[in-house]
Amino acid sequence: MAKIILLDEMTINQIAAGEVVERPVSVVKELVENSLDAGAGRIITDLEEGGLSSVTVADDGCGMNEEDLLLAFERHATSKISVVSDLSRIGTLGFRGEAIPSIAAVSRMSFTTRVAQAINGARAEAAGGSLLTVVPVGCPPGSTVVVKDLFFNTPVRKKTMKSPSMEGSLCGEIITRLALTRPEVSFELRNNGRRVFYSNGSGRLLDALISVYGAEQAREMILVDAAAGGMVLKGFTSKPALSRSSRSHITTIINGRYVQCAAIRGAVEEAYRTILPRGRSPVAVLEMTLAPELIDVNVHPAKLEVRLLEEKEAAELVIRTLKEALRVRTAIPSLKISQTLSGSRKDKRNFMTAPVLKTDDENKQQEFNLVKKEETDLSLDEETISRASGFEPFAAGFDGIAEAEEKIDYAGRQNKMPVLNVLAWLKPTYILAGGEDGLYLIDQHAAHERILYEECLARKIENPVQCLLLPVTLELDYREMAILSERIIWFNEAGFLIEHFGGNTFLLRGVPPHFPEGQAREFLLDMLDYFRERGPGAARAEFFNHLASAIACRNAVKAGERLSQSSMEALLDRLAGTENPFTCPHGRPTMICLSFEDLEKRFKRS
């Protein structure tokens, strides 16, 4: 009996559908790209339950006649290519002819279409890969495709789908990417009848950029325009003042196609390598145009990845162009005077004062002073450190002036941190301390991070909020809106007071106590990027740990900030009170020890 058999048509269609249709966003991508290939000037995408119940894509493109509509449900039937040689010069987004039959194989589909010259249009109904009916209908020019009950005949795949908000956010992300690739086309996205994204189709990339990221972030973008070796690079890239914690905001467009190209993304990161801090990525929308024969788009079932034949030359063009753009004066961030909160009232007559929220314990108003940080003074005592970080003094009841000769007792600590005697401060960030077993070097930033991290976790159950004098405006894309809506309870529990202002705009009116001033917008966007990367698997405890770690890192005393004797002693005293004084929240050591035995060996005394 033969071991190799021919698969039946149903199985073949299911396999093809598995390659092309992974989730609702796959349906949206394929149908919208078909609309773009049809020359549409306006595309409306309507989702129900994030696309799990239905996906509708309507356009004003060229449409099809009844004969072409019937052929569109056949596998590998396409109007984009005709011979093998066409694969080397593809100028359309689709070309395989798999989208319609693959989607129809795992859903109930209705396809209505009409060419402008025809009096009537036609509507085809299909379910589970079988074409049921084709009837003439009256309809406007263009095409409307309705996909319902996705994966109704593949229950295993249907069970792997995420929440409606998460699936809808993925659909919103691909729509915004496509809007950036085709600024001349008007895109509209609706979810459960509510419009969540719109681009006007003006033809200007800047307008599309504003639709996706908002006007405020668009102001921080630099125009890019260069050409070399037959390649043209255009678009926008962010100034150093605008960065994100995720690479997902680097949009690469090659010959009008949104793609994920590791070579181009790596080139963008290389251009910013010495400009942005480690772990930060720019916001960039880069469109590269090159000869069709220099790009292979037939390397991924969903056509999301491409292969460049002149990859090195393309990367060099990106690096050179971005570095030149970042050298100009417009890339230099504006200087902002650092202002901090002060708990002291004695000098309030010298500064502008403003009211703060009422506390939970007492219904009274407090005042705070906006004071200018003296950046020229590198000598910081414990009170200065506390003000700069937004936290209370290190020790409870600490009066700000500790006696230098006062001995700190670490005995009886459960974590068995050794008794240390502060000796000196070593530039740029180390505290030298003597212990019974040798010389200790303590990283002041890592130690302070550990202290603030555990304090943040201890305060989370109190659910405190510190209102801002002026609310922070957040303009989010659709996926960020969906993520924020899904996790809004967690943000509220953490102390963020967030209000929907309409459309894709939110107002941040409150932050947790001791939150670093002027970093609210960046921090919140980073948290949304974190959820984007982690997906729905992010746990609540993981969220609070990440939040506490990030706040602690931003507030901790920085390298290069010289500490006084009393400040160093207070820091070590507070560190000894933590559950784990030996590592920072990121796992780096807070201290290392050079034992007396090692010293004796170095000095040849043993």
Side-chain angles (χ1 to χ4, degrees), residues 25 181 257 259 313 347 383 428 501 550 562 570 573:
V25 65
T181 67
R257 180 190 302 273
V259 295
E313 291 79 1
D347 295 326
E383 184 178 359
F501 194 63
R562 184 180 182 90
D573 185 35

Short mmCIF file of all heavy atoms in Angstrom, two decimals, residues 25 181 257 259 313 347 383 428 501 550 562 570 573:
data_model
loop_
_atom_site.label_atom_id
_atom_site.label_comp_id
_atom_site.label_asym_id
_atom_site.label_seq_id
_atom_site.Cartn_x
_atom_site.Cartn_y
_atom_site.Cartn_z
N VAL A 25 -6.42 39.71 12.55
CA VAL A 25 -5.55 40.71 11.92
C VAL A 25 -5.06 40.21 10.56
O VAL A 25 -4.82 41.02 9.65
CB VAL A 25 -4.37 41.05 12.86
CG1 VAL A 25 -3.45 39.85 13.07
CG2 VAL A 25 -3.57 42.21 12.31
N THR A 181 1.93 53.61 5.01
CA THR A 181 2.48 53.23 3.71
C THR A 181 1.78 53.94 2.57
O THR A 181 2.38 54.19 1.53
CB THR A 181 2.38 51.71 3.49
OG1 THR A 181 1.01 51.33 3.38
CG2 THR A 181 3.03 50.95 4.63
N ARG A 257 5.36 48.68 0.49
CA ARG A 257 4.90 47.53 1.26
C ARG A 257 5.43 47.61 2.68
O ARG A 257 6.64 47.77 2.88
CB ARG A 257 5.39 46.24 0.59
CG ARG A 257 4.99 44.96 1.30
CD ARG A 257 5.74 43.77 0.71
NE ARG A 257 5.50 43.64 -0.71
CZ ARG A 257 4.48 42.97 -1.25
NH1 ARG A 257 3.63 42.37 -0.45
NH2 ARG A 257 4.34 42.91 -2.55
N VAL A 259 6.85 46.07 5.77
CA VAL A 259 7.56 44.81 5.96
C VAL A 259 8.35 44.86 7.26
O VAL A 259 8.58 45.93 7.84
CB VAL A 259 8.53 44.50 4.79
CG1 VAL A 259 7.77 44.28 3.50
CG2 VAL A 259 9.56 45.60 4.64
N GLU A 313 24.23 47.69 1.15
CA GLU A 313 24.13 49.05 0.61
C GLU A 313 22.91 49.77 1.18
O GLU A 313 22.97 50.97 1.49
CB GLU A 313 24.04 49.02 -0.92
CG GLU A 313 25.32 48.58 -1.61
CD GLU A 313 25.53 47.07 -1.58
OE1 GLU A 313 24.65 46.35 -1.03
OE2 GLU A 313 26.56 46.59 -2.10
N ASP A 347 10.69 78.50 53.18
CA ASP A 347 11.11 79.41 52.13
C ASP A 347 10.01 79.66 51.12
O ASP A 347 10.27 80.12 50.01
CB ASP A 347 12.34 78.84 51.41
CG ASP A 347 13.53 78.74 52.34
OD1 ASP A 347 13.65 79.62 53.20
OD2 ASP A 347 14.34 77.80 52.18
N GLU A 383 19.03 64.99 52.61
CA GLU A 383 17.81 65.71 52.31
C GLU A 383 17.75 66.07 50.83
O GLU A 383 16.70 66.01 50.19
CB GLU A 383 17.72 66.97 53.17
CG GLU A 383 16.41 67.73 52.98
CD GLU A 383 16.33 68.94 53.88
OE1 GLU A 383 17.28 69.17 54.64
OE2 GLU A 383 15.31 69.65 53.80
N PRO A 428 33.05 57.16 40.03
CA PRO A 428 31.89 58.05 39.88
C PRO A 428 30.69 57.67 40.73
O PRO A 428 29.80 58.49 40.92
CB PRO A 428 31.54 57.87 38.40
CG PRO A 428 31.88 56.44 38.12
CD PRO A 428 33.08 56.12 38.98
N PHE A 501 -10.45 61.48 27.09
CA PHE A 501 -10.79 62.85 26.71
C PHE A 501 -11.53 62.90 25.38
O PHE A 501 -11.91 63.96 24.92
CB PHE A 501 -9.51 63.68 26.63
CG PHE A 501 -9.75 65.17 26.57
CD1 PHE A 501 -10.36 65.83 27.62
CD2 PHE A 501 -9.36 65.90 25.46
CE1 PHE A 501 -10.57 67.20 27.57
CE2 PHE A 501 -9.58 67.27 25.40
CZ PHE A 501 -10.19 67.92 26.46
N ALA A 550 10.88 50.27 37.52
CA ALA A 550 11.11 51.42 36.65
C ALA A 550 11.11 52.73 37.45
O ALA A 550 11.94 53.61 37.22
CB ALA A 550 10.05 51.47 35.56
N ARG A 562 27.93 63.13 43.94
CA ARG A 562 28.76 62.92 45.13
C ARG A 562 27.91 62.97 46.39
O ARG A 562 27.08 63.87 46.57
CB ARG A 562 29.85 63.99 45.20
CG ARG A 562 30.84 63.79 46.34
CD ARG A 562 31.90 64.88 46.36
NE ARG A 562 32.85 64.65 47.44
CZ ARG A 562 33.96 63.93 47.30
NH1 ARG A 562 34.25 63.40 46.12
NH2 ARG A 562 34.77 63.75 48.32
N ALA A 570 23.39 56.94 55.78
CA ALA A 570 21.94 56.78 55.74
C ALA A 570 21.53 55.80 54.66
O ALA A 570 20.61 54.99 54.83
CB ALA A 570 21.27 58.14 55.50
N ASP A 573 22.27 52.28 55.84
CA ASP A 573 21.33 51.91 56.90
C ASP A 573 19.99 51.49 56.30
O ASP A 573 19.39 50.49 56.71
CB ASP A 573 21.14 53.10 57.84
CG ASP A 573 20.27 52.72 59.04
OD1 ASP A 573 20.38 51.57 59.50
OD2 ASP A 573 19.48 53.57 59.48
#
